[in-house]
Amino acid sequence: MKKCLKFLLILISALSLFFVSESFAQSHPRFEQPLLITSAGQSADVQIGGVLAKRAGLMATLSKNATYQELADKKTLALVIGVSMKGLGAAGLDLDQEKTRVTDLIEEAQKKDIPILCLHLGGEARRGELSDQMIRAFLPYAQMVIVVKSGNKDGLFTQICTDKKISLLEVDRTSEVQEPLKSIFAPIG
Amino acid sequence: MTRRDLFLIPLFIFLVSCQPQTLKVLEPPADHHQPYDYIGKKGMVVAAHPEAVKAGLNTLKRGGNAVDAAIATAFALNAAEPFASGIGGGGFMIIFLAEEKKATVINFRERAPAKAFPSMYLDKDNVQDIWRKSHGLAVAVPGALAGWVYALKKYGTMNLKNVLESGIQIAEQGIPVSPTFSQINKDEYEKILQNSGESSSYLHDGFPYEPDDIYRNPELAQTLKRLISHGWQDFYDGQIAQGIVQAVQRNGGIMSLEDLAQYSPIEQSPLRGTYKDYTIYTVRPPSSGGLHILQLLNIIAHWPVREWGFNSTLYIHHLSEAFRFIFADKARFLGDPDFTVIPVKQLLSEDYASQITSRIHPGHLQASYPYGRFDKNQIEKENTTHLGVIDSQGNIVSLTQSINDFFGSGIVPEGYGFLLNNEMADFSPYPDSVNSPSPYKRPVSSMGPLILFKKDMPLLVLGSPGGTRIFTSLTQIIINVIEFGMSLDEAIEAPRFFTYSSEGVAKRLFVESRIPQHILQSLEEIGHMIEVREAYDKYFGGAQGILIDRNKNVLYGGADSRRDGSGAGY
């Protein structure tokens, strides 16, 4: 009897997990692999994006400073938004040059019908005047936005995503981005 | 008003003035940017983390002197603020001994390994920044532990075990991660990942720590315990030394066991300068910070800064021009004094200050500044940490230390839990520089821990991290206190600015966004290219200070909200 109950519980849990992730997948856009992960602001958060994609088993190319040509064989553009002056300095870019680079990528993605996924992984610390400039400039082009909750305390992401009808997902911790990433990408082939 | 009132009012005032003076201690404000002075009567500790402050204060309360408390605070910082300093790094401290009325400096700056050579960062004439920053070649021979032990043995009263306890406890029990820690951890993620891997003790399950996570470092706790059980020399000639050399060489470095065994700190006399009727004691080259603060103050003494007003257009413009001249000097003259002659006397002369002030024009920028090639990589650094302690006898320690970039080289000797510095990046990569790498040479630093005296009595203990902004920020704080009459923490929190020159050319003027728009506009009209940073940007440092008010017999502590600065008095 006990064994049956245990089996039933496991079955129910597995089914609910399946339905939750199915409903999550249905309520959010689907993206295709391979994807190009790049930064919008040159913060090291782009590296976190790379590790998350690796752990989610995605076929991804991480290129902090990607040019629009690198989109040639890609099916998704993932922008990890967040400004780091140090990162910009290391890349030999100023904020305007970085904006131009990202704008070029977005224009190319639009030309090729490549959907854009925006990630804000740095939380509250990765907000501020400069990061907000990038958020306001580039978020409206996204099909979906995933944000670590503390970065959306003031509701900026909610506001832009509501206005532009963009699918928004909030997670509590950076590491929690991994599961939704698995769900929103269609398997290869 | 009746006759009776005329009698009662002076009587009331008299009675109030006869009340014993009590200190009104307010709770720190919820907004940590709001200026708040910590208050003490007997002793005070200020540092970049509250747990480190607690470690220092407990040491004072247990009968330790300022040196004991400073070293306890330094070990605690290694556990609580590991990204900015630790036994894998180095620094400078200035000690004031109240009874002897003597100030002395301990230079525990890292130095280059024996196999270092001037062109070691060039590959076919191209500078290899990765070699300088996140490679085994970036690691200089650490001096922190040797310097702390030297100070403790010569000027302290406690043994190593006593001053290590808090550091071990913090490393074992952990601390809640602050937003500052988390942000820096995220900023340096790539380097940590590359050199320590996803299982690093400086990552949380392979990702950066989030605010309020608990950060523990059991490996560091074991290392600190080992210093007690096997002696601190184990770090320089024992098992820990072997771990360091293996880690450095595995990452392509050239440090040897002999380099570690031969390291020793240097005790030297402080550098002395004056501003009006104040005297400043600070550290000598190879730290440039102290020298440049004194140069700046010499120049500012020529100007009616009080009349111009705090952060007025004239004030920011004139100081910015002075910064640019001084950066030219930094690039031309500053190196390790054991290897090059630095014209310190000339740079600090009244004549030299007059020459510079005469070249600064109120209406425009200079066409050029005396030529000097300045390493652009020095500009983005926000690293390092500062602590200050005063004890009940009036002994003082002002200590600035670093592992250079935040999280240093990102290299952690396996199983030991501490970060190795990337202080070799403070050398110039250009072989023709006075600050190029050579065997056993110490790289130029920007640190400038100082003690400011008025009429031979200590008034202000001050220091800051912030790379090349250290001397510009500390000078602004000093002027805020002396000329603009701010309280210590008001002076620390006040909006800052920074600029420099390179190869004779004026660079952008970086400002905190709290500086009003109309001032920025007028600065642009003069010719400055402005770059606006965050309102409270740790780019401009994270200063800590103690102000000694002898009239009220009160110690005021100021700690910078740009980082996790904290203070406590008793």
Side-chain angles (χ1 to χ4, degrees), chain B residues 74-352:
Chain B
F75 275 117
L77 280 170
N78 195 164
E81 197 204 30
F83 51 82
S85 70
I87 53 178
F92 299 86
M93 72 177 99
I94 178 161
I95 302 172
F96 175 69
L97 303 160
E99 202 178 312
E100 298 170 46
K101 291 197 168 163
K102 174 193 159 190
T104 187
V105 167
I106 297 170
N107 168 352
F108 52 98
R109 179 73 163 157
E110 301 90 332
R111 63 181 197 181
K115 288 183 182 164
F117 55 98
S119 61
M120 64 187 280
Y121 296 113
L122 293 182
D123 182 23
K124 293 173 190 159
D125 292 338
N126 295 318
V127 175
Q128 299 299 308
D129 274 331
I130 289 176
W131 297 355
R132 302 175 67 206
K133 292 179 165 190
S134 54
H135 186 275
L137 287 173
V139 185
V141 182
L145 183 62
W148 299 348
V149 171
Y150 179 93
L152 192 68
K153 283 188 172 170
K154 188 159 181 188
Y155 297 111
T157 65
M158 291 179 159
N159 62 30
L160 190 61
K161 184 174 181 290
N162 294 143
V163 297
L164 263 167
E165 282 165 3
S166 297
I168 294 169
Q169 198 181 342
I170 295 166
E172 277 179 341
Q173 294 178 2
I175 47 150
V177 167
S178 69
T180 307
F181 187 134
S182 172
Q183 187 187 353
I184 293 168
N185 201 205
K186 286 170 183 166
D187 284 343
E188 302 298 337
Y189 181 64
E190 184 177 2
K191 178 173 66 184
I192 300 167
L193 201 61
Q194 179 194 313
N195 287 341
S196 303
E198 289 181 35
S199 61
S200 168
S201 43
Y202 293 98
L203 296 176
H204 190 254
D205 189 26
F207 290 108
Y209 280 88
E210 302 281 1
D212 299 327
D213 284 348
I214 299 298
Y215 160 71
R216 290 185 188 85
N217 192 337
E219 289 182 346
L220 176 65
Q222 285 305 316
T223 301
L224 297 180
K225 282 179 183 172
R226 189 177 169 85
L227 298 179
I228 299 169
S229 61
H230 288 71
W232 65 274
Q233 296 91 340
D234 193 65
F235 187 94
Y236 289 96
D237 60 14
Q239 193 177 301
I240 303 176
Q242 287 174 15
I244 294 170
V245 169
Q246 276 168 15
V248 170
Q249 292 188 355
R250 197 181 307 126
N251 284 280
I254 50 175
M255 193 189 297
S256 68
L257 282 170
E258 202 182 345
D259 290 329
L260 279 161
Q262 292 208 350
Y263 183 86
S264 61
I266 304 166
E267 183 168 2
Q268 52 198 177
S269 61
L271 188 64
R272 181 183 174 279
T274 57
Y275 176 72
K276 298 186 175 174
D277 54 347
Y278 299 90
T279 304
I280 299 108
Y281 286 97
T282 183
V283 300
R284 293 181 172 277
S287 192
S288 65
L291 173 66
H292 296 329
I293 290 167
L294 300 182
Q295 277 188 278
L296 261 176
L297 290 172
N298 282 349
I299 294 166
I300 294 169
H302 287 77
W303 294 328
V305 289
R306 208 176 295 179
E307 197 180 294
W308 289 344
F310 165 70
N311 278 357
S312 62
T313 304
L314 278 175
Y315 179 74
I316 296 177
H317 168 68
H318 280 80
L319 262 68
S320 296
E321 287 288 87
F323 295 170
R324 289 169 179 143
F325 276 105
I326 287 171
F327 268 98
D329 288 340
K330 181 179 165 81
R332 271 197 309 176
F333 299 120
L334 265 289
D336 183 342
D338 288 346
F339 290 76
T340 186
V341 177
I342 306 170
V344 172
K345 205 173 164 189
Q346 182 205 340
L347 293 170
L348 291 181
S349 70
E350 171 56 29
D351 184 42
Y352 190 66

Side-chain angles (χ1 to χ4, degrees), chain B residues 513-527:
Chain B
S513 62
R514 291 174 291 150
I515 295 179
Q517 189 56 41
H518 71 274
I519 300 284
L520 301 184
Q521 204 175 332
S522 55
L523 286 163
E524 277 177 333
E525 282 162 15
I526 293 174

Side-chain angles (χ1 to χ4, degrees), chain B residues 268-536:
Chain B
Q268 52 198 177
S269 61
L271 188 64
R272 181 183 174 279
T274 57
Y275 176 72
K276 298 186 175 174
D277 54 347
Y278 299 90
T279 304
I280 299 108
Y281 286 97
T282 183
V283 300
R284 293 181 172 277
S287 192
S288 65
L291 173 66
H292 296 329
I293 290 167
L294 300 182
Q295 277 188 278
L296 261 176
L297 290 172
N298 282 349
I299 294 166
I300 294 169
H302 287 77
W303 294 328
V305 289
R306 208 176 295 179
E307 197 180 294
W308 289 344
F310 165 70
N311 278 357
S312 62
T313 304
L314 278 175
Y315 179 74
I316 296 177
H317 168 68
H318 280 80
L319 262 68
S320 296
E321 287 288 87
F323 295 170
R324 289 169 179 143
F325 276 105
I326 287 171
F327 268 98
D329 288 340
K330 181 179 165 81
R332 271 197 309 176
F333 299 120
L334 265 289
D336 183 342
D338 288 346
F339 290 76
T340 186
V341 177
I342 306 170
V344 172
K345 205 173 164 189
Q346 182 205 340
L347 293 170
L348 291 181
S349 70
E350 171 56 29
D351 184 42
Y352 190 66
S354 299
Q355 279 179 40
I356 291 179
T357 47
S358 69
R359 293 183 61 183
I360 294 175
H361 190 279
H364 60 77
L365 272 58
Q366 288 300 300
S368 77
Y369 305 82
Y371 186 88
R373 183 158 55 173
F374 188 74
D375 177 11
K376 69 176 170 60
N377 287 312
Q378 303 291 333
I379 291 303
E380 282 304 326
K381 290 180 179 180
E382 299 168 342
N383 42 48
T384 311
T385 197
H386 178 79
L387 65 94
V389 182
I390 181 165
D391 66 22
S392 59
Q393 305 303 307
N395 300 308
I396 295 169
V397 175
S398 186
L399 185 159
T400 309
Q401 58 185 9
S402 189
I403 48 175
N404 202 15
D405 285 341
F406 283 138
F407 288 95
S409 61
I411 299 171
V412 179
E414 204 173 332
Y416 292 104
F418 63 89
L419 285 154
L420 289 170
N421 69 80
N422 62 349
E423 215 67 68
M424 293 294 283
D426 271 357
F427 281 117
S428 168
Y430 307 111
D432 58 344
S433 167
V434 290
N435 185 34
S436 63
S438 289
Y440 302 129
K441 197 174 184 178
R442 288 173 161 85
V444 168
S445 157
S446 295
M447 298 179 211
L450 63 89
I451 306 172
L452 183 143
F453 291 73
K454 188 172 187 182
K455 292 177 185 162
D456 295 333
M457 300 297 276
L459 172 71
L460 180 63
V461 183
L462 192 63
S464 179
T468 49
R469 271 85 58 210
I470 289 176
F471 76 87
T472 61
S473 291
L474 290 178
T475 305
Q476 288 172 67
I477 294 168
I478 291 169
I479 297 298
N480 288 347
V481 170
I482 292 177
E483 298 292 357
F484 300 127
M486 293 184 198
S487 75
L488 177 57
D489 203 45
E490 273 175 348
I492 289 173
E493 301 298 346
R496 295 183 197 152
F497 56 92
F498 167 78
T499 186
Y500 67 109
S501 66
S502 181
E503 299 186 46
V505 178
K507 296 293 178 180
R508 281 174 293 179
L509 173 57
F510 300 87
V511 298
E512 283 185 315
S513 62
R514 291 174 291 150
I515 295 179
Q517 189 56 41
H518 71 274
I519 300 284
L520 301 184
Q521 204 175 332
S522 55
L523 286 163
E524 277 177 333
E525 282 162 15
I526 293 174
H528 295 275
M529 279 179 61
I530 308 281
E531 182 166 322
V532 179
R533 310 273 311 200
E534 303 292 339
Y536 292 87

